[in-house]
Amino acid sequence: MGDLRGFTSFSEAHPAEVVLEVLNRYLIEMSRVIVRHGGMVDKFMGDSIMALFGAQTSERDDVRRAVACAVSMQIAMVGLNAGHKEAGMPPIFMGIGVNTGLVMAGLFGSEIYSVFTVVGDEVNLASRIEAVSLRGQVLISEGTFERCGDYVTADEPMTVYVKGKALPIGFREVLGIPSLGLAVPRQELRRSPRVEARLAFSYHLVENKVVGEKRQGTTLDIGYHGLLARVPTRLAEHSEMRIELPLPLVDHVARGIYARVVKATERNGMSLAAIEFTAIGDADAAAVRRFVQMLV
């Protein structure tokens, strides 16, 4: 499963013809990568794409090809964004989740409309893992890693609670495939100056692309790519949100920041959330950078 990060914000900020051109370029290029690795494009779901390996005919290297495909898709995004830059279009970024398991595969539908696809808990789990990924990441389930651990370079295992599961699920970030000379391009640069700043800001939690009610928080520190905030109630890790952040020193209000909670803690009776920006417009990013540099 692959999904563009912050595409809702992108769609709101650009004309329909630009959105369609960017989306079609992305879907065409990703489809080429999937087919080149012997996969099957199952469906497009807006800015999401689902691919299958071994659904119709099973091969011994299905898992390896699926993971190699995911890494190659992220590499292809770099070339795609280079083309966007030349054409004067903004960059886009994708997160990918890969899972392996038994599913029900077949022709679903009626005499009016039917399609070959797969259903089952393992499909849902792939979607949940993809939802946790940051832009530029390839995350794989422990079930996938067990089948290709000698093939990939992966980070230490992580766990997260997801909807529909009583116990946390395990996954890993793929960093590369040494035997193929492939490395996942790193898009989420987390290293930047961090400065103390007390800023009142508002946020809306986003679940299943539905924007919730407005809430208030206060920043404790801020960097180029995220912030630490005090919030009224503890937020679930990996919660997604849209932020409106006033930056008084640079006379700017960043209204279209999409972000994710990467860590939630309690300290001295306060609920704290470490928040990482997942999608931010060029003007807002430049304003955040100027704000941080002025405080430094």
Side-chain angles (χ1 to χ4, degrees):
M1 299 268 195
D3 184 77
L4 292 182
R5 292 292 170 260
F7 198 71
T8 301
S9 175
F10 175 90
S11 301
E12 293 172 350
H14 296 87
E17 57 270 21
V18 173
V19 173
L20 287 174
E21 184 176 357
V22 168
L23 187 58
N24 280 327
R25 284 185 180 214
Y26 153 74
L27 293 174
I28 290 169
E29 183 60 30
M30 295 306 106
S31 297
R32 287 173 177 162
V33 176
I34 292 165
V35 171
R36 189 164 67 242
H37 285 82
M40 166 187 160
V41 177
D42 179 79
K43 62 174 69 74
F44 299 142
M45 300 162 286
D47 59 332
S48 302
I49 186 167
M50 176 173 162
L52 307 176
F53 290 80
Q56 292 180 309
T57 21
S58 179
E59 303 291 343
R60 292 177 60 88
D61 64 344
D62 284 332
V63 177
R64 290 190 172 197
R65 284 187 291 107
V67 177
C69 177
V71 173
S72 297
M73 288 168 72
Q74 293 292 16
I75 293 172
M77 290 294 290
V78 176
L80 194 66
N81 281 329
H84 284 180
K85 185 175 181 180
E86 290 180 3
M89 293 189 296
I92 55 175
F93 302 96
M94 174 177 56
I96 298 177
V98 182
N99 186 36
T100 306
L102 291 175
V103 297
M104 183 182 297
L107 201 62
F108 293 83
S110 67
E111 67 278 2
I112 299 173
Y113 174 78
S114 61
V115 63
F116 178 90
T117 188
V118 295
V119 296
D121 190 50
E122 302 294 350
V123 181
N124 297 334
L125 183 54
S127 178
R128 300 286 185 258
I129 293 172
E130 177 273 310
V132 174
S133 66
L134 296 171
R135 64 183 190 173
Q137 282 188 318
V138 174
L139 301 183
I140 62 173
S141 65
E142 280 296 313
T144 300
F145 181 75
E146 288 171 3
R147 294 168 171 84
C148 67
D150 59 344
Y151 179 65
V152 303
T153 300
D155 217 336
E156 293 299 312
M158 298 171 278
T159 60
V160 63
Y161 283 92
V162 299
K163 185 178 178 181
K165 295 285 185 182
L167 299 176
I169 59 139
F171 59 91
R172 297 172 186 251
E173 179 181 1
V174 174
L175 305 178
I177 303 176
S179 62
L180 299 181
L182 300 178
V184 178
R186 301 308 295 269
Q187 300 293 347
E188 292 294 343
L189 302 176
R190 298 174 173 83
R191 306 190 74 174
S192 81
R194 303 284 294 195
V195 292
E196 290 187 12
R198 298 294 188 272
L199 300 171
F201 71 99
S202 61
Y203 64 95
H204 301 259
L205 293 178
V206 180
E207 186 173 356
N208 296 324
K209 300 191 177 181
V210 176
V211 179
E213 64 181 13
K214 187 176 184 178
R215 305 185 186 190
Q216 302 293 328
T218 304
T219 68
L220 300 180
D221 67 44
I222 185 171
Y224 298 158
H225 311 292
L227 53 86
L228 177 67
R230 183 174 68 240
V231 290
T233 57
R234 183 164 181 164
L235 299 176
E237 291 186 356
H238 307 292
S239 297
E240 296 186 354
M241 62 176 62
R242 189 176 70 189
I243 293 174
E244 183 172 308
L245 178 65
L247 301 166
L249 287 179
V250 295
D251 193 26
H252 183 87
V253 179
R255 301 183 186 279
I257 299 177
Y258 282 78
R260 175 169 291 146
V261 177
V262 293
K263 188 175 183 181
T265 57
E266 298 284 339
R267 185 192 304 166
N268 299 327
M270 296 187 300
S271 295
L272 304 180
I275 298 169
E276 187 168 64
F277 304 151
T278 57
I280 181 171
D282 292 342
D284 288 342
V288 169
R289 185 176 289 267
R290 288 199 308 272
F291 180 82
V292 171
Q293 289 171 350
M294 289 181 72
L295 289 181
V296 170

